Amino acid sequence: MATDSAQLGSQLAEATLNESVSALKAEFSDRVPIRSIISRTDGGSGFAGQHVRIGGWVKTGRKADKDAFAFLELNDGSCPGNLQVIVEADKGDLGQLVPTGTCVVVDGVLKLPPAGAKQKVELRVEKVVHLGPVDPAKYPLPKTKLTLEFLRDVVHLRSRTNTISAVARIRNALAYATHTFFQKHGFLYVHTPIITTSDCEGAGEMFQVTTLISEGERLERELIKNPAPSEADLEAAKLIIKEKGDAVSQLKSAKASKEEIGAAVAELKRAKENALKLEERSKLQPGIPKKDGKIDYTQDFFARQAFLTVSGQLQVESYACALSSVYTFGPTFRAENSHTSRHLAEFWMVEPELAFAELKDDMNCAEAYVKFLCQWLLDNCSDDMEFISRQFDKTCIDRLKMVASTPFERITYTEAVELLIDAVKNGKKFENHVEWGIDLASEHERFLTEVKFQKPVIVYNYPKGIKAFYMRLNDDNKTVAAMDVLVPKVGELIGGSQREERYDVIHSRIAEMGLPIEPYEWYLDLRRFGTVKHAGFGLGFERMLLFATGLDNIRDVIPFPRYPGRADL
Amino acid sequence: MATDSAQLGSQLAEATLNESVSALKAEFSDRVPIRSIISRTDGGSGFAGQHVRIGGWVKTGRKADKDAFAFLELNDGSCPGNLQVIVEADKGDLGQLVPTGTCVVVDGVLKLPPAGAKQKVELRVEKVVHLGPVDPAKYPLPKTKLTLEFLRDVVHLRSRTNTISAVARIRNALAYATHTFFQKHGFLYVHTPIITTSDCEGAGEMFQVTTLISEGERLERELIKNPAPSEADLEAAKLIIKEKGDAVSQLKSAKASKEEIGAAVAELKRAKENALKLEERSKLQPGIPKKDGKIDYTQDFFARQAFLTVSGQLQVESYACALSSVYTFGPTFRAENSHTSRHLAEFWMVEPELAFAELKDDMNCAEAYVKFLCQWLLDNCSDDMEFISRQFDKTCIDRLKMVASTPFERITYTEAVELLIDAVKNGKKFENHVEWGIDLASEHERFLTEVKFQKPVIVYNYPKGIKAFYMRLNDDNKTVAAMDVLVPKVGELIGGSQREERYDVIHSRIAEMGLPIEPYEWYLDLRRFGTVKHAGFGLGFERMLLFATGLDNIRDVIPFPRYPGRADL
């Protein structure tokens, strides 16, 4: 399977060596991606002598030989490597070509470089087709090494840096690997809703989605332009009704003609309608609509309070209880005011759900999935992984290899706690006290996976008191069939469980935890009608990226990070 | 490519005929998916005599031969077909087994059915392993044919119906086909943000994302429990300061000891701090925080107003201007109050963006992508397409074949308008008047694709007045390099354009359209620094589903539809 995927992924780069380079051009552009040339076993040397169009951005450029020509290191984002490009002075304005960040499209001939050069092929330019210049004095990304922290302030340009573009390619590879893994195993991808009126965890800090504020402001503007009627206006309107009513009575007592009476009645009707409209308008209040002192959500877009989802699990369960094996992969949200390097307000989650499955099947699936992701990166992203390894984390490639090839350790929560207590006895210091019943802290998780076992560990059967209501109660009545996958570097990567499929048990668990039943009636229906054993888990996609790359801050592994006080673009 | 993907997709079903059926079991469950048995060229008959575990939900069940046994049509969502299962009375409670919706897991032997039977194989049960019963009196999905409209009120169960599960499989196939197409062509998948502080179209009705309301309510509850200090409290606190101040003065004039004075000064300091705290608390207002009469968004989660995205285009452009070929595929939102069968408040969009590309490249990409999707469904979803064709739209398979194999017509907007005017001259009636400069209405688009050309049509070079500021101005100064792909059944399926890459031109276009410059400064940076010709488009994913299935209402092709007044689950 890994071999299949490798073939699929590197198809563009794997032309036979006597093939024409122009056959490798992007189908929807005249240019040839740089990756198609240099990411070959011969480094592109087999193409020497051939003509090609290349586009990209200058990484570094310098003039040489008394400005007779310039060397440009060109990158187009298709791979971490650059193509060395040589431009003679009569082919273009060298001064405009050399600044870092300049965009160029050039036609040229691929040549073998002088003996001893690092590159295996280089391009001698025949024509500069396009030039998108950069004023180095104003460019926010100077050639000097920039910190990842600095780059967070220029999210719209940071994908032009080596690190962020490598992360983007690794992220892309993990996303496609995710789909490929689940599709190969017969899972159906289900788009669970982003806007939700259910709350998965019962609590959780959620973002509200509303049009009430903008509607309130619109009304406020409208009322300024066209004020609501005053008391006097309303009185005047009532007076007109009285006059019109009197007129009708007078015409009737005077036995006037039907036409005359009819006309007066029509006038009275119009006066009443007008007064009603004025009265309604007089009730308009600028700002958010209220009823009985509370916000009137019946006037909100969805006629009730709505939020951004914190998990697609509950909804995807409804699909699992019909289509058997499903998964969701989408954005989720937490309005938590945490300023750590591990939390985002918007992040992506992969959540498979398997019907006809128990906890053991869930663990098997999670282990196979994580291994598949690791092997995929080794097969498809070796150039990017090598870059990351050189720049940030020398151990990242070995970590992928180890996880891809080592069976995960599986221990119960109770065993885990015993191991931790033993460690404390042997002198290990933890900040958080260890005893049966605690939620394992990150330091405990990392001790188990990094020190004790030195490989991925699945901890299962957690105390029911620290886990969600939907997790299946074990026969001991103390623990639930939950499991967490712990990996070196990040600790918890996956959390999952077998779901409680027994109607009576889940009903009393909801009550026991003090949650209201009504919002979960639909969820209970899945147990009421044709209930099935099922299980699933969630993988935090950015956690997987931190694990794979060894980067420290989650804000650097998502293209546009959202956290308290920041949502650029 | 299509052949590759077909192999990938149907791998599970294509075992050699002498293979053991248990080799086809789902990797993470003991059951064998029904699809693996019946979706083979031999209909599963090659497996006769083999033992297998099956799980699924009863579509129809009936007792036979004086209740000696029961026939169950079992479906597990892996394909539209059912497996016929025969249970003898001594194997289980037939009365509990036959109701529609019942979940069963059974072990049994595959057998050839009696001659003349529709099915090619059936299962004789040896053991009922699991039974999730249904009370038919309470089950919301009786066996009778249910309308799609009725099913919208039971979104949590409707995936158990033939139609909604077929749509789910088709949707899954189109999603994976989308990723496969772009990955094969070297595009990188980029997760653009859902919460945004940019507005793509300058206007657009957007949902607001906020924590201000819940924070305001939290504060309100807190102030009820612990009311803000009164005027009297503040006065009292001031009085204490005065007293403590006097005490200090007295001690000083009395030349008291350093210790005594120090203690009094400390008391004074505490009194001042306390008064300050009370004063701050007295300013707390329940409800949404305001400043100068306006909502104070500096106190919102992101310290500014935030919205749900209406398109990932602008943000994904920043990645195209670094990584060349990218795409986004995610949820987008419109807070439009439309109650039509074509609009959702939450829907999914596919938005590729190509650097080093012009409008022609964009059209080539769009055409290749749509053809690929159609061919993928023909190769991978023929059973579901046949079901849809029988039940809803007899023309849907022919439509896919036609689009997959016919070159798209390409005409300019000006030519399109001329054709429409000609049609009017020849007696065609449109509700909307046709003249150069109008935005084409759906009736015009459908006339062009369904009547005039009877195939997909790409209309390009639209008047600049009806298109967005970022579309590239053509040399005629009247039109922009925009294009729409029109297809039979739905009209506009794709809208795209070459983007304006010239700094001066886009700057004046923003000003010309009365938009503020400041929010677009980051977007202008993409043109200021290393600008590149680029182009992209957006495909409404649900539109593609309506096109493929021929269903009429967009609420039926997304798992959890959101529209005014409704956001179930």
Side-chain angles (χ1 to χ4, degrees):
Chain A
M1 205 169 291
T3 316
D4 272 15
S5 63
Q7 282 168 359
L8 199 85
S10 60
Q11 186 170 298
L12 274 174
E14 290 306 322
T16 57
L17 292 188
N18 53 10
E19 193 183 355
S20 156
V21 69
S22 59
L24 297 175
K25 84 179 177 60
E27 198 171 320
F28 313 117
S29 167
D30 292 328
R31 74 182 173 103
V32 171
I34 289 173
R35 176 185 180 213
S36 306
I37 299 170
I38 67 171
S39 294
R40 300 157 55 95
T41 43
D42 70 348
S45 60
F47 290 137
Q50 295 197 38
H51 290 258
V52 65
R53 172 169 290 184
I54 296 292
W57 289 266
V58 174
K59 281 282 169 187
T60 62
R62 63 180 174 88
K63 291 190 264 189
D65 200 13
K66 293 185 182 161
D67 298 358
F69 57 87
F71 290 108
L72 311 177
E73 290 287 325
L74 217 59
N75 185 285
D76 66 3
S78 62
C79 63
N82 306 320
L83 182 68
Q84 169 140 308
V85 169
I86 299 145
V87 199
E88 286 156 10
D90 62 340
K91 299 291 190 302
D93 179 340
L94 302 191
Q96 279 213 310
L97 284 166
V98 295
T100 297
T102 302
C103 180
V104 298
V105 178
V106 292
D107 288 338
V109 190
L110 291 167
K111 299 229 165 194
L112 294 178
K118 202 177 58 177
Q119 69 275 19
K120 293 282 186 285
V121 74
E122 59 189 30
L123 186 79
R124 191 163 288 259
V125 170
E126 294 168 320
K127 191 180 170 192
V128 176
V129 179
H130 164 83
L131 196 157
V134 157
D135 176 350
K138 294 183 181 160
Y139 192 48
L141 300 179
K143 217 169 74 178
T144 53
K145 194 161 161 71
L146 305 163
T147 66
L148 291 172
E149 198 176 355
F150 170 87
L151 291 176
R152 275 172 231 144
D153 289 333
V154 277
V155 284
H156 63 302
L157 294 174
R158 69 176 182 166
S159 49
R160 297 186 184 185
T161 63
N162 293 334
T163 304
I164 300 296
S165 64
V167 169
R169 285 184 296 268
I170 292 168
R171 189 177 171 106
N172 167 72
L174 288 173
Y176 191 54
T178 293
H179 285 297
T180 302
F181 174 83
F182 288 110
Q183 295 289 328
K184 285 207 172 204
H185 287 93
F187 288 65
L188 296 169
Y189 180 31
V190 174
H191 287 137
T192 46
I194 309 304
I195 298 171
T196 179
T197 51
S198 304
D199 180 359
C200 178
E201 304 284 333
E205 315 215 344
M206 296 175 92
F207 287 103
Q208 190 166 351
V209 176
T210 184
T211 53
L212 283 182
I213 295 177
S214 52
E215 280 296 306
E217 288 177 328
R218 198 188 51 69
L219 179 63
E220 201 161 323
R221 283 193 302 274
E222 209 262 320
L223 284 174
I224 287 168
K225 242 170 57 186
N226 185 10
S230 63
E231 277 298 316
D233 295 334
L234 296 177
E235 284 307 315
K238 279 183 197 159
L239 204 64
I240 291 173
I241 295 177
K242 195 177 171 308
E243 285 170 13
K244 300 290 177 188
D246 289 350
V248 171
S249 309
Q250 279 167 20
L251 286 169
K252 278 184 180 167
S253 10
K255 311 235 162 166
S257 73
K258 263 195 178 172
E259 287 76 30
E260 276 181 299
I261 295 178
V265 167
E267 275 191 44
L268 173 60
K269 201 179 151 205
R270 272 197 297 278
K272 282 181 176 170
E273 285 169 359
N274 184 45
L276 204 68
K277 266 189 213 157
L278 285 180
E279 207 180 311
E280 268 175 24
R281 230 185 119 69
S282 76
K283 285 184 202 151
L284 290 180
Q285 295 285 342
I288 295 179
K290 298 217 170 186
K291 204 173 177 180
D292 306 332
K294 285 185 175 168
I295 294 173
D296 180 10
Y297 285 111
T298 64
Q299 295 193 43
D300 207 348
F301 190 89
F302 297 109
R304 54 194 294 191
Q305 231 179 333
F307 301 94
L308 291 181
T309 185
V310 295
S311 159
Q313 179 205 316
L314 298 197
Q315 289 94 341
V316 93
E317 275 187 59
S318 77
Y319 267 67
C321 293
L323 301 169
S324 299
S325 294
V326 295
Y327 69 108
T328 184
F329 180 13
T332 50
F333 306 85
R334 297 275 159 92
E336 228 176 316
N337 200 21
S338 24
H339 293 261
T340 78
S341 60
R342 291 297 161 96
H343 290 88
L344 288 169
E346 173 177 322
F347 54 101
W348 284 65
M349 285 251 279
V350 179
E351 297 179 286
E353 191 73 30
L354 303 77
F356 309 106
E358 305 184 359
L359 188 65
K360 151 186 73 61
D361 306 305
D362 204 35
M363 293 195 276
N364 290 345
C365 182
E367 179 168 345
Y369 170 47
V370 172
K371 285 181 141 66
F372 184 89
L373 292 181
C374 293
Q375 190 60 48
W376 185 282
L377 287 185
L378 293 169
D379 291 341
N380 294 280
C381 284
S382 55
D383 47 4
D384 284 309
M385 286 308 304
E386 276 157 26
F387 171 81
I388 293 286
S389 161
R390 278 197 307 275
Q391 297 289 322
F392 291 97
D393 178 1
K394 300 220 178 326
T395 62
C396 65
I397 294 176
D398 286 339
R399 196 162 60 231
L400 290 179
K401 285 182 182 164
M402 183 273 284
V403 173
S405 61
T406 313
F408 293 10
E409 190 69 34
R410 298 185 187 191
I411 57 172
T412 64
Y413 168 89
T414 302
E415 288 163 347
V417 168
E418 281 163 9
L419 289 171
L420 292 169
I421 289 173
D422 281 353
V424 170
K425 279 183 192 154
N426 291 321
K428 171 75 190 166
K429 299 254 180 286
F430 292 118
E431 283 187 18
N432 302 277
H433 175 69
V434 181
E435 64 177 352
W436 199 96
I438 60 156
D439 209 354
L440 298 185
S442 184
E443 57 174 344
H444 304 139
E445 294 172 339
R446 293 188 64 168
F447 172 80
L448 291 170
T449 178
E450 291 173 0
V451 180
K452 179 71 197 167
F453 293 104
Q454 298 179 34
K455 61 178 166 179
V457 178
I458 308 185
V459 180
Y460 63 98
N461 289 351
Y462 281 81
K464 68 173 178 176
I466 57 168
K467 291 289 184 182
F469 74 90
Y470 50 72
M471 298 187 175
R472 193 177 198 277
L473 192 63
N474 286 324
D475 291 343
D476 62 14
N477 224 358
K478 277 168 55 187
T479 61
V480 289
M483 62 102 181
D484 283 355
V485 178
L486 316 179
V487 294
K489 178 76 198 170
V490 299
E492 184 191 331
L493 176 63
I494 281 177
S497 70
Q498 183 174 346
R499 318 308 186 185
E500 183 55 76
E501 91 283 9
R502 296 164 295 185
Y503 177 83
D504 292 340
V505 180
I506 195 164
H507 194 282
S508 45
R509 286 278 288 155
I510 292 175
E512 191 179 305
M513 296 183 96
L515 298 170
I517 291 285
E518 195 278 329
Y520 297 103
E521 283 293 353
W522 70 265
Y523 190 69
L524 290 171
D525 270 1
L526 303 178
R527 281 75 182 166
R528 228 176 240 127
F529 305 117
T531 193
V532 63
K533 284 191 182 180
H534 60 293
F537 62 83
L539 170 132
F541 195 61
E542 285 74 23
R543 285 258 171 131
M544 182 63 207
L545 269 148
L546 290 178
F547 165 77
T549 61
L551 293 196
D552 288 317
N553 197 311
I554 199 164
R555 297 172 186 180
D556 301 324
V557 297
I558 190 166
F560 303 91
R562 272 83 184 93
Y563 47 95
R566 286 299 280 275
D568 290 359
L569 277 60
Chain B
M1 207 169 290
T3 316
D4 271 15
S5 61
Q7 283 169 358
L8 199 84
S10 60
Q11 185 171 297
L12 275 174
E14 291 304 324
T16 56
L17 293 188
N18 52 11
E19 193 182 354
S20 156
V21 69
S22 60
L24 298 175
K25 85 176 176 63
E27 198 169 319
F28 314 117
S29 170
D30 292 328
R31 74 183 173 103
V32 171
I34 290 174
R35 177 184 179 210
S36 306
I37 299 170
I38 67 171
S39 295
R40 298 156 56 94
T41 44
D42 72 346
S45 59
F47 290 138
Q50 297 198 37
H51 289 258
V52 66
R53 171 168 292 185
I54 296 291
W57 289 266
V58 174
K59 281 280 167 190
T60 62
R62 64 183 172 85
K63 291 190 264 190
D65 200 13
K66 294 183 182 161
D67 298 356
F69 56 89
F71 292 109
L72 311 176
E73 292 285 327
L74 215 59
N75 185 286
D76 64 4
S78 63
C79 64
N82 306 321
L83 183 68
Q84 170 141 306
V85 168
I86 299 145
V87 198
E88 285 155 12
D90 63 339
K91 300 290 191 302
D93 179 340
L94 302 190
Q96 279 214 309
L97 282 167
V98 295
T100 297
T102 302
C103 181
V104 298
V105 178
V106 292
D107 288 338
V109 189
L110 291 168
K111 299 227 166 198
L112 295 178
K118 206 178 59 179
Q119 67 276 21
K120 296 280 186 287
V121 76
E122 59 189 29
L123 186 80
R124 193 164 289 261
V125 169
E126 293 169 321
K127 189 180 173 194
V128 175
V129 178
H130 165 83
L131 197 157
V134 157
D135 177 350
K138 293 185 183 159
Y139 192 46
L141 299 178
K143 215 170 78 179
T144 53
K145 194 165 160 68
L146 305 163
T147 66
L148 291 172
E149 199 176 352
F150 170 85
L151 291 175
R152 274 171 234 145
D153 289 334
V154 277
V155 284
H156 64 300
L157 294 174
R158 68 173 183 168
S159 49
R160 297 187 183 185
T161 64
N162 293 334
T163 303
I164 299 296
S165 64
V167 168
R169 286 184 295 268
I170 292 169
R171 189 177 171 106
N172 167 72
L174 287 173
Y176 191 53
T178 293
H179 285 297
T180 302
F181 175 83
F182 288 111
Q183 296 289 330
K184 286 206 171 206
H185 287 94
F187 288 65
L188 297 169
Y189 181 31
V190 174
H191 287 138
T192 47
I194 309 305
I195 298 171
T196 178
T197 52
S198 302
D199 178 1
C200 177
E201 304 283 334
E205 314 215 344
M206 297 175 91
F207 287 104
Q208 191 166 348
V209 175
T210 184
T211 54
L212 284 183
I213 295 178
S214 52
E215 279 296 306
E217 289 177 330
R218 198 189 50 70
L219 180 61
E220 201 161 324
R221 284 192 302 273
E222 208 263 320
L223 284 174
I224 288 168
K225 243 171 54 185
N226 185 10
S230 63
E231 276 301 317
D233 295 335
L234 296 177
E235 283 308 315
K238 279 182 196 159
L239 204 62
I240 292 174
I241 293 178
K242 196 179 170 304
E243 286 171 12
K244 300 291 178 189
D246 289 349
V248 171
S249 308
Q250 280 167 17
L251 287 169
K252 278 184 179 166
S253 1
K255 311 230 163 171
S257 74
K258 263 195 178 174
E259 287 74 29
E260 277 180 297
I261 296 178
V265 166
E267 275 191 43
L268 173 61
K269 202 179 154 206
R270 274 196 297 278
K272 281 182 176 169
E273 283 168 358
N274 185 46
L276 204 67
K277 267 189 210 157
L278 285 180
E279 208 180 309
E280 267 174 25
R281 228 184 122 69
S282 75
K283 287 185 199 148
L284 289 180
Q285 295 285 342
I288 295 180
K290 298 217 172 187
K291 203 173 177 179
D292 306 333
K294 286 184 177 168
I295 294 173
D296 181 11
Y297 284 111
T298 63
Q299 295 193 42
D300 207 348
F301 189 89
F302 298 109
R304 53 194 293 193
Q305 231 180 333
F307 302 94
L308 291 180
T309 185
V310 295
S311 159
Q313 180 205 316
L314 299 197
Q315 289 94 341
V316 93
E317 275 187 58
S318 77
Y319 267 67
C321 293
L323 301 169
S324 300
S325 294
V326 295
Y327 69 109
T328 182
F329 181 12
T332 50
F333 305 85
R334 297 274 158 91
E336 228 177 317
N337 200 20
S338 22
H339 292 261
T340 77
S341 61
R342 293 297 163 96
H343 290 90
L344 288 169
E346 174 177 322
F347 54 101
W348 284 66
M349 285 251 279
V350 179
E351 298 179 285
E353 191 74 29
L354 303 77
F356 308 107
E358 304 184 0
L359 188 65
K360 151 188 71 62
D361 307 305
D362 203 34
M363 293 195 274
N364 290 345
C365 181
E367 179 168 344
Y369 171 47
V370 172
K371 285 181 142 66
F372 184 88
L373 291 182
C374 293
Q375 191 60 49
W376 184 283
L377 288 185
L378 293 168
D379 291 340
N380 293 281
C381 284
S382 55
D383 46 3
D384 284 309
M385 287 309 304
E386 274 157 26
F387 170 81
I388 293 286
S389 161
R390 279 195 309 276
Q391 297 290 322
F392 291 97
D393 178 2
K394 302 220 176 325
T395 64
C396 66
I397 293 177
D398 286 340
R399 198 163 57 231
L400 290 179
K401 286 182 180 163
M402 184 271 285
V403 173
S405 61
T406 314
F408 292 10
E409 190 69 35
R410 298 187 186 190
I411 58 173
T412 64
Y413 168 88
T414 303
E415 288 163 347
V417 168
E418 281 163 10
L419 290 171
L420 293 168
I421 289 174
D422 281 354
V424 170
K425 280 183 190 151
N426 291 322
K428 172 73 190 166
K429 298 254 180 287
F430 291 119
E431 282 187 17
N432 301 278
H433 175 68
V434 180
E435 64 177 352
W436 199 96
I438 61 156
D439 209 352
L440 298 185
S442 184
E443 56 174 343
H444 305 139
E445 294 171 341
R446 294 188 64 168
F447 172 81
L448 291 170
T449 180
E450 291 173 1
V451 181
K452 180 69 198 172
F453 293 105
Q454 299 180 31
K455 62 178 168 179
V457 178
I458 307 184
V459 179
Y460 62 97
N461 289 350
Y462 281 79
K464 68 173 178 176
I466 56 170
K467 290 289 183 182
F469 74 89
Y470 50 72
M471 299 188 175
R472 193 178 198 276
L473 192 62
N474 286 324
D475 291 343
D476 63 12
N477 224 357
K478 277 167 58 187
T479 62
V480 289
M483 64 100 180
D484 282 357
V485 178
L486 316 179
V487 294
K489 177 76 197 169
V490 299
E492 183 189 330
L493 176 64
I494 280 177
S497 70
Q498 184 174 343
R499 318 308 186 187
E500 183 57 75
E501 90 282 8
R502 295 163 297 186
Y503 177 82
D504 293 341
V505 180
I506 196 164
H507 194 281
S508 44
R509 287 277 288 155
I510 292 175
E512 190 179 309
M513 296 182 97
L515 298 171
I517 291 286
E518 194 279 328
Y520 296 103
E521 282 293 354
W522 71 266
Y523 191 68
L524 290 171
D525 270 0
L526 303 179
R527 281 74 182 166
R528 228 176 239 128
F529 305 117
T531 193
V532 62
K533 285 191 183 183
H534 61 291
F537 63 82
L539 170 132
F541 195 63
E542 286 75 23
R543 285 261 170 128
M544 181 66 206
L545 271 147
L546 290 178
F547 165 78
T549 61
L551 293 197
D552 288 318
N553 197 312
I554 199 162
R555 297 172 187 181
D556 302 324
V557 296
I558 190 165
F560 303 91
R562 272 84 185 92
Y563 46 95
R566 285 299 282 275
D568 290 359
L569 277 58

